[in-house]
Amino acid sequence: MYFLSEQERKQLLKGLLPKTRRTEVADELRGWNWPEPPIEPVYPVRLALYEVAGRYCPTGRDVYLRHVHGVKTEPTVPMIQGALFHAVISYVLLQTKRLIYLHGVERYREVLGQLNRLAEGDTLGEEADRHLRRLPETDREQVREKARVLRDFEVTQVMARIQDILVRQPYIGTDSLASLAVPVVVEQKLDGSFIGLSSQLSVDAYTSLEMMILDTKFAQRRDFHRLTTTGYAMVCEAVYEYPINIGCVVYGRFAGDRLVVEKDFHVIDDELRQWFLEERDQKSRSVYEEMDPGIADNCPAWCSYRTTCHPD
Ligand code: SF4
């Protein structure tokens, strides 16, 4: 999901990267400006990044109910399913790194053989199995099948990458092979407190090769999904003090027994940064001042707060 095809790499190198060089980001909107407005947190409230970036509730009442009234809801089936698919991707990528370090370049055939067996077996990883058990029994088999399709896709991708690298780099070492075959850090932990977010954030994937933040969604495309990559980019800038200009939301969906992947590359420009800060300030304020933002006009049917907002 996180690897770029030749066409996507070209799109990035010839389209988006030159564009970022022309698009000047205001220094005051870089994460490293966290001790000054507008990045400096206005309210002493620490929200999770998904709470700031999530616009599923149009008024942000879900965040208010959770923090001010302590309302707890059960995760929905799509939420568990999304967590499970993320766990499958992490499992394959971590297994790949583990196998490369375990066997080294010299025994690359053993690495490929074990990856092959991974795709042929039933294993999805412990975390994915835990999510599977949380699902209603009626959904389990169908979701398990989708998870297998996703796992096999990931395994095929990493095996092709390993073979391609080995063909082109006859003198490559083990560490280099691992970093080129899987050039992402999955579930990178970040302290978002500099910019008024939780101190325990976890970004889906960060790739140092392209200096890009990636976020995976198994959901319909929405414009506010870019707020997640924007938030993580600003946190990275605050923590590491280097600029992040590009984000990519990777959309995965299933069409029958096929996985379809689409990537939304975008420049993390001033407009997205300002939008993220507005969301952060508006939601932090409603929590800090215990100010009910009101019930939305068009509540989605699946919202897990419906029984609280619409008790009738
Ligand atoms: S039911 Fe409506 S107002 Fe309440 S949290 Fe959900 S979307 Fe927001």
Side-chain angles (χ1 to χ4, degrees):
M1 301 280 285
Y2 300 136
F3 306 134
L4 305 189
S5 65
E6 265 319 298
Q7 196 185 344
E8 288 165 343
R9 192 175 296 280
K10 215 172 263 178
Q11 183 190 346
L12 194 67
L13 292 176
K14 300 287 179 202
L16 219 52
L17 275 177
K19 193 173 168 195
T20 62
R21 289 184 206 115
R22 290 194 303 271
T23 313
E24 210 40 48
V25 171
D27 199 62
E28 61 171 18
L29 293 172
R30 293 286 191 185
W32 57 68
N33 186 44
W34 59 267
E36 305 283 338
I39 307 279
E40 185 187 22
V42 183
Y43 304 97
V45 171
R46 298 285 174 261
L47 299 178
L49 198 139
Y50 75 87
E51 291 178 313
V52 174
R55 294 257 315 141
Y56 294 103
C57 170
T59 62
R61 194 165 198 251
D62 51 346
V63 179
Y64 162 82
L65 290 172
R66 199 153 47 237
H67 286 265
V68 178
H69 294 283
V71 178
K72 289 193 170 62
T73 59
E74 290 298 317
T76 60
V77 169
M79 283 159 82
I80 300 173
Q81 193 171 283
L84 190 155
F85 293 154
H86 276 88
V88 169
I89 297 170
S90 298
Y91 174 68
V92 173
L93 298 184
L94 293 180
Q95 279 297 102
T96 305
K97 285 185 186 181
R98 196 171 290 140
L99 288 170
I100 293 174
Y101 282 115
L102 184 67
H103 299 293
V105 175
E106 302 73 25
R107 298 181 62 214
Y108 78 92
R109 292 177 72 176
E110 186 61 31
V111 176
L112 296 175
Q114 289 204 24
L115 283 172
N116 221 359
R117 284 195 284 283
L118 181 66
E120 285 167 358
D122 274 339
T123 319
L124 295 168
E126 262 178 47
E127 204 190 329
D129 285 342
R130 192 171 55 77
H131 290 306
L132 261 181
R133 288 193 294 274
R134 295 164 70 208
L135 285 168
E137 242 174 85
T138 44
D139 291 307
R140 264 182 224 162
E141 206 35 55
Q142 200 194 16
V143 175
R144 193 198 304 272
E145 204 40 54
K146 287 179 180 171
R148 284 194 191 120
V149 171
L150 176 61
R151 178 200 61 191
D152 297 352
F153 171 76
E154 287 295 309
V155 170
T156 311
Q157 291 257 302
V158 288
M159 286 178 69
R161 282 182 74 89
I162 291 172
Q163 282 166 321
D164 181 55
I165 294 162
L166 289 174
V167 164
R168 287 185 294 108
Q169 303 286 346
Y171 306 112
I172 197 164
T174 297
D175 198 30
S176 183
L177 176 63
S179 72
L180 288 175
V182 187
V184 292
V185 178
V186 284
E187 306 291 339
Q188 167 102 312
K189 300 295 174 217
L190 290 169
D191 180 354
S193 56
F194 296 104
I195 70 164
L197 302 173
S198 156
S199 59
Q200 290 163 21
L201 302 178
S202 181
V203 59
D204 275 1
Y206 168 71
T207 162
S208 53
L209 284 186
E210 283 97 11
M211 299 282 261
M212 180 167 64
I213 302 284
L214 296 128
D215 189 56
T216 319
K217 305 272 185 215
F218 290 91
Q220 221 181 344
R221 200 165 171 148
R222 303 288 294 269
D223 58 351
F224 62 79
H225 287 162
R226 291 181 176 190
L227 290 180
T228 304
T229 48
T230 302
Y232 281 124
M234 290 166 81
V235 172
C236 279
E237 288 172 350
V239 174
Y240 302 118
E241 305 237 350
Y242 56 69
I244 306 277
N245 297 322
I246 298 177
C248 177
V249 184
V250 185
Y251 290 96
R253 66 183 168 84
F254 292 89
D257 62 353
R258 278 180 50 208
L259 172 70
V260 179
V261 180
E262 284 168 15
K263 296 194 177 90
D264 171 31
F265 293 102
H266 49 274
V267 177
I268 299 177
D269 58 11
D270 286 1
E271 200 180 323
L272 278 173
R273 289 164 187 267
Q274 272 158 351
W275 187 11
F276 181 83
L277 293 173
E278 278 164 24
E279 289 293 324
R280 179 200 66 177
D281 292 346
Q282 191 187 322
K283 288 174 180 167
S284 306
R285 183 176 176 215
S286 88
V287 171
Y288 184 66
E289 297 184 351
E290 301 192 358
M291 203 173 64
D292 189 343
I295 296 173
D297 290 334
N298 45 349
C299 299
W302 45 260
C303 180
S304 45
Y305 290 87
R306 272 193 88 93
T307 50
T308 309
C309 297
H310 302 279
D312 308 329

